[in-house]
Amino acid sequence: MNDTHRRRFLQSTAALGLFGASGALFAAGAKIKPGDKAVLIVVDVQNCFIDGGTLPVKGGADVVPVINQLAASFQNIVVTQDWHTQGHASFASAHAGQKPFSSIKLNYGNQVLWPDHCVQGTDDAALHKDLKLPTAQLIIRKGFHADVDSYSAFEEADRKTSTGLAGYLKARGIKTVFVTGLATDFCVAWTALDARKAGFDAYVIEDATRAIDLNGSLAAAWKQMSAKGVKRIQSADIQGA
Ligand code: VGL
Ligand code: ZN
């Protein structure tokens, strides 16, 4: 290809939207090749969210082999852990007369109340033993302020307190995030939405997630994500996975 041809090719592919800001090539029917500006975010694949844990997500363990395989396609991987204090404000047990899966108003807004889960340092809060991510570069813990929940890996539920993740990713030149893990309709969705808010391209790899689906929360989460430009893909859309 000479220069003119190359320029024409680049112009036409840009017009077709084949290249994202990540420089990842993605045409209809073609696979996405995550480059050095993409990161795989593995959200909360912890014992608490898997059968035998304190807040099990249906089919939660099924994401583990999918994520292990996806990992080989990514140069950058960040892992998150839900990491609550004992008696955390998101626990129903911390509020007299409240039951898990009800909602209350806290000073920062509505809060779903959960069973006690993912308490710092417990086996329940550990990453699932079959998750194999030796190349992961950062583990970010969230929800560790006693009075504030944090579904998102970027920003706590008060919508003011940053976890520092956006700064870390930007400092490393990351442009695109691919979100996986648990649960689709809470920590995965909030993380993907906040990634968009922070200016990243965002994908959710659906078959690498499982949902809690509380009162229609899963459909609502997909609707919100779609409205904000979060792209919904499958692991088979990623090259090599
Ligand atoms: C989560 C509910 C409470 C999640 C965390 O990881 O999706 N859900 N804490
Ligand atoms: Zn939690």
Side-chain angles (χ1 to χ4, degrees):
M1 202 180 328
N2 64 29
D3 266 3
T4 310
H5 284 131
R6 184 172 295 111
R7 208 171 314 111
R8 275 204 206 116
F9 171 75
L10 288 172
Q11 281 165 354
S12 58
T13 50
L16 288 167
L18 296 182
F19 291 97
S22 59
L25 187 60
F26 185 27
K31 301 229 178 189
I32 301 170
K33 190 173 162 41
D36 61 354
K37 294 180 171 58
V39 65
L40 179 68
I41 303 183
V42 179
V43 175
D44 299 2
V45 183
Q46 293 166 268
N47 294 328
C48 31
F49 297 117
I50 289 170
D51 278 341
T54 47
L55 179 44
V57 178
K58 204 163 166 256
D62 299 346
V63 305
V64 173
V66 182
I67 291 169
N68 287 347
Q69 194 179 341
L70 278 168
S73 300
F74 284 84
Q75 294 171 44
N76 301 299
I77 303 177
V78 168
V79 174
T80 78
Q81 281 179 294
D82 211 34
W83 201 250
H84 296 311
T85 56
Q86 275 185 41
H88 190 261
S90 73
F91 297 172
S93 64
H95 305 272
Q98 295 294 332
K99 289 203 173 60
F101 308 108
S102 63
S103 288
I104 56 161
K105 212 158 167 54
L106 295 184
N107 54 20
Y108 55 79
N110 261 2
Q111 173 69 49
V112 178
L113 295 175
W114 305 103
D116 291 22
H117 66 280
C118 297
V119 171
Q120 300 171 352
T122 62
D123 187 55
D124 191 56
L127 296 171
H128 189 270
K129 66 175 181 12
D130 296 330
L131 193 66
K132 292 282 184 294
L133 300 172
T135 63
Q137 296 139 351
L138 176 75
I139 298 178
I140 187 149
R141 290 168 167 171
K142 60 185 179 60
F144 51 74
H145 287 127
D147 297 327
V148 187
D149 204 0
S150 190
Y151 296 145
S152 165
F154 289 95
E155 195 177 85
E156 299 188 18
D158 61 4
R159 310 319 273 157
K160 287 199 276 277
T161 310
S162 170
T163 66
L165 181 58
Y168 167 86
L169 294 176
K170 284 179 184 177
R172 293 201 49 220
I174 302 292
K175 306 280 188 211
T176 307
V177 308
F178 293 81
V179 191
T180 61
L182 305 170
T184 327
D185 41 347
F186 289 92
C187 293
V188 167
W190 284 53
T191 296
L193 288 166
D194 278 356
R196 294 291 297 136
K197 212 166 99 180
F200 298 96
D201 279 343
Y203 294 78
V204 169
I205 308 176
E206 184 175 15
D207 59 324
T209 74
R210 290 293 183 279
I212 295 175
D213 203 10
L214 191 62
N215 307 318
S217 57
L218 180 59
W222 281 122
K223 196 172 165 190
Q224 231 186 325
M225 287 193 281
S226 159
K228 298 293 181 189
V230 176
K231 288 163 232 161
R232 180 179 185 166
I233 61 167
Q234 308 301 317
S235 59
D237 295 328
I238 303 284
Q239 190 165 98

